[in-house]
Every structure is written in C-alpha cells, then in structure tokens.
Amino acid sequence: EAQLVESGGGLVQAGGSLRLSCSPSGFPFDNYAIGWFRQAPGKEREGVSCISKGNGPTYYADSVKGRFTISRDNAKNTVYLQMNSLKPEDTAVYYCNRGITIGASYFPQDYWGQGTQVTVSS
C-alpha cells in the first residue's frame, strides 16, 4: 500500500528556515511526481511545489518562488522542501502527495501523508 510520511515541521521565527522531508513507500518512487501542499486554518489546501518523476522539472507557487526549493533523492526515496526566509503567512500544515505531471500541470492522486505543522512567528 502506498504511504507518504512527512517530517521536519516546527516553530521558527520569521526569516528562519526549515527543511521538510517526505518519505514515500509502497510504490515505485521514481515513476511518480511528488507535490507539496499546505493548508492554513480556515483556508483551502493549496499547492506549494512539485517535482516530476526521476529528477525532472520543478514548479513553485508564486508565493514561495525564490524562497522554497524542492528536491528529490531517488536513492533515499525522499523528497525535500527547503524553506528559507519564512513568513508568518507560511504557517500551515504541510502535506506531501503522490501525483503525475503532464507538461507544467500537476495532477494529485489520492495518496497523502498525515501532514507536518509549520508555524512561523512574527
């Protein structure tokens, strides 16, 4: 059964950094894109970044472009989200997801991790 486990969240001051990890299992990791999403209280879940299968192209939401970097280590079956220059508005539960990319579009499949809380204080 496909599973994804996030880790690395925490409390950080504005301007600080965190690195999230997503560890998928139960499926051929190299064959799928992985996306990061976040959901703040009272808001809908939104896409943050994704990386195509293999070591393919990466994509970012405008709100995080230039501050966040997604990468994958296929040998370790892990996807990372390096988050720098964090802002209070980045506060949310962050989820990773298995999906596919067609061109620059990401299509999430119904495989989600349990989420990891990121809190940025001002």
Side-chain angles (χ1 to χ4, degrees):
E1 182 181 352
Q3 291 186 327
L4 302 100
V5 178
E6 303 95 339
S7 62
L11 173 64
V12 64
Q13 288 188 331
S17 298
L18 284 173
R19 188 177 78 161
L20 306 184
S21 298
C22 173
S23 300
S25 62
F27 61 93
F29 177 68
D30 291 4
N31 291 356
Y32 290 91
I34 299 292
W36 282 98
F37 291 73
R38 67 186 181 186
Q39 188 166 19
K43 295 188 176 181
E44 293 189 354
R45 192 172 294 189
E46 64 175 354
V48 174
S49 180
C50 66
I51 186 165
S52 299
K53 65 180 181 181
N55 208 16
T58 58
Y59 304 95
Y60 299 92
D62 287 343
S63 58
V64 306
K65 206 170 288 184
R67 300 187 297 122
F68 290 10
T69 303
I70 191 170
S71 61
R72 65 192 295 162
D73 185 335
N74 291 327
K76 294 183 178 180
N77 270 27
T78 303
V79 172
Y80 303 101
L81 185 68
Q82 178 67 43
M83 307 187 297
N84 298 329
S85 302
L86 282 161
K87 305 175 181 180
E89 51 263 44
D90 294 318
T91 295
V93 178
Y94 284 70
Y95 301 88
C96 63
N97 169 266
R98 187 186 95 172
I100 59 172
T101 51
I102 301 176
S105 297
Y106 180 86
F107 296 90
Q109 298 181 331
D110 198 19
Y111 296 100
W112 298 89
Q114 81 289 348
T116 186
Q117 176 71 47
V118 171
T119 303
V120 185
S121 63
S122 56

